[in-house]
Amino acid sequence: MDADRSDAAAVTHHRVVAAAAELLAKGGPDAVSTRTVAAAAGVQSPTIYRIFGHKQGLLDAVAAEGFEAYVKSHATRHPQRPSDPVQGIRRGWDAHVGFGLAHPHLYALVYAQMRSETPHPVAVNATEMLGRRVRRVAEAGLLRVAEVQAAQLIQAGATGTVFTLLGAPEDERDQALSVLAREAMIAAVTTEPPAGEDPPVPVTAAIRLRAALPHTAALTTPEHVLLLEWLDRIVDDGPRRPGRG
């Protein structure tokens, strides 16, 4: 009998959390109320108070289950720890940013509290995971700053990248921003050179000329606008073969 009650309670708990998670994903925290969750889960409002205590308790449960699913998904995609610990930092960064972009309301729920004296428990768990990755880099002799400082820089860079990308319209997000920020952080805290090739000469020349344009009056306004368009195209497209259309 007790086992049946326990199983029933677990099913109810899961159903309520799943309903709240769906409401959160569709409408943000304001869409999650005891009334709407109870209706979606097919339970009475007192049941939610009995299980979770209050709305924040329910949101904490949603965040905890979402984070657990994220960790399991990352472990499934990468069942083996990379031999290069810096590559582990890269994987963790990419997974973190990907999770934030895929679940913006859940991410904001967890990381909006980072400035408070009591950060969200899920954020604390994520910070501990990052600390373990940084420790492996330190053990390999590849860290150029203290472990705590490295973890704080990486965390600040990753969360800042997510919120910056979320702040832009989805069709205007610069997908290269995360890679650039990630490699800047790795260059700052490790002795490993950033991944990828150096920018090709035409790109760096275009960036330099674009920065200098405001200081010249030799062009008419239409010429200025046209040259800006050409320079931006060079920067965005990167190296191209001559004659390629």
Side-chain angles (χ1 to χ4, degrees):
M1 183 66 71
D2 290 341
D4 292 340
R5 289 179 179 175
S6 178
D7 291 342
V11 170
T12 301
H13 183 283
H14 176 74
R15 192 164 71 242
V16 171
V17 171
E22 185 174 355
L23 290 168
L24 177 69
K26 291 181 177 179
D30 291 341
V32 182
S33 68
T34 54
R35 180 180 60 81
T36 57
V37 173
V43 300
Q44 299 295 318
S45 294
T47 300
I48 296 177
Y49 288 111
R50 186 178 71 253
I51 298 175
F52 302 100
H54 42 67
K55 176 181 175 179
Q56 188 58 49
L58 173 58
L59 290 174
D60 287 345
V62 171
E65 289 205 7
F67 179 73
E68 182 179 356
Y70 150 68
V71 171
K72 288 182 178 178
S73 175
H74 181 71
T76 300
R77 291 195 305 271
H78 305 287
Q80 294 183 340
R81 182 185 300 175
S83 57
D84 177 5
V86 178
Q87 188 61 26
I89 297 292
R90 288 191 175 95
R91 284 184 182 178
W93 177 292
D94 292 344
H96 180 101
V97 173
F99 176 79
L101 296 182
H103 307 280
H105 294 302
L106 180 59
Y107 187 87
L109 176 67
V110 172
Y111 284 96
Q113 292 182 222
M114 290 300 288
R115 297 179 182 177
S116 69
E117 294 182 358
T118 55
H120 197 284
V122 169
V124 173
N125 290 339
T127 299
E128 291 174 351
M129 287 179 58
L130 173 59
R132 290 192 290 271
R133 290 194 178 102
V134 171
R135 170 61 57 85
R136 289 193 285 271
V137 176
E139 290 172 344
L142 299 173
L143 207 60
R144 68 167 72 244
V145 298
E147 289 181 41
V148 172
Q149 189 177 40
Q152 289 175 339
L153 282 168
I154 294 169
Q155 184 180 65
T159 54
T161 296
V162 172
F163 282 122
T164 297
L165 290 173
L166 289 177
E170 189 170 356
D171 59 348
E172 296 180 12
R173 292 172 185 167
D174 183 358
Q175 299 301 320
L177 179 65
S178 178
V179 176
L180 291 171
R182 183 194 70 197
E183 293 308 312
M185 287 298 102
I186 286 177
V189 303
T190 77
T191 58
E192 181 174 301
E197 301 176 354
D198 292 334
V201 172
V203 171
T204 56
I207 293 173
R208 183 176 183 181
L209 178 56
R210 195 187 192 288
L213 277 184
H215 304 293
T216 179
L219 302 177
T220 65
T221 299
E223 290 171 340
H224 185 96
V225 171
L226 183 59
L227 182 55
L228 278 177
E229 181 181 343
W230 287 344
L231 293 173
D232 286 342
R233 193 181 305 171
I234 292 172
V235 173
D236 292 340
D237 288 354
R240 299 180 60 135
R241 294 179 182 177
R244 180 179 168 187

